[in-house]
Amino acid sequence: MSKKILIVDDEAPIAELLADVLQDEGYNIRVARDGASALLEIIRRPPGLVLLDVAMPVMLGSDLLVYLRRHGFGDLPIIIMTAGIS
């Protein structure tokens, strides 16, 4: 796996925490705040891994996942993240 990770999350504190931890481990991190921005990043410079939030504005993480799988990014590793609601 490439050392490049794209974090896709509209919650800045969560994205920043993940980015800090992963950068400390030597990963090259990019952050997108919504699914549409993430799609542009993935097309422009495909990462080795995507950490993808589900509930976001503009384009849901689930919609982005379906789009990627149908349009040539079927081998891109994607980890779905979501916060539980109690």
Side-chain angles (χ1 to χ4, degrees):
M1 176 178 67
S2 167
K3 298 279 281 184
K4 298 174 184 174
I5 298 175
L6 177 62
I7 298 170
V8 186
D9 200 315
D10 62 319
E11 298 288 335
I14 293 170
E16 291 169 10
L17 175 64
L18 286 169
D20 288 345
V21 169
L22 292 168
Q23 283 174 336
D24 287 347
E25 293 298 321
Y27 290 94
N28 180 331
I29 303 300
R30 289 181 287 150
V31 175
R33 298 288 184 212
D34 59 64
S37 298
L39 179 57
L40 293 175
E41 283 290 317
I42 292 166
I43 290 169
R44 189 174 353 167
R45 293 180 294 158
L49 173 68
V50 176
L51 300 179
L52 180 61
D53 186 21
V54 174
M56 294 181 296
V58 183
M59 175 187 272
L60 294 174
S62 55
D63 293 337
L64 176 60
L65 177 63
V66 169
Y67 182 90
L68 292 170
R69 293 302 185 233
R70 290 182 179 166
H71 292 92
F73 292 93
D75 292 337
L76 177 61
I78 298 173
I79 297 174
I80 301 291
M81 312 180 298
T82 190
I85 299 173
S86 50

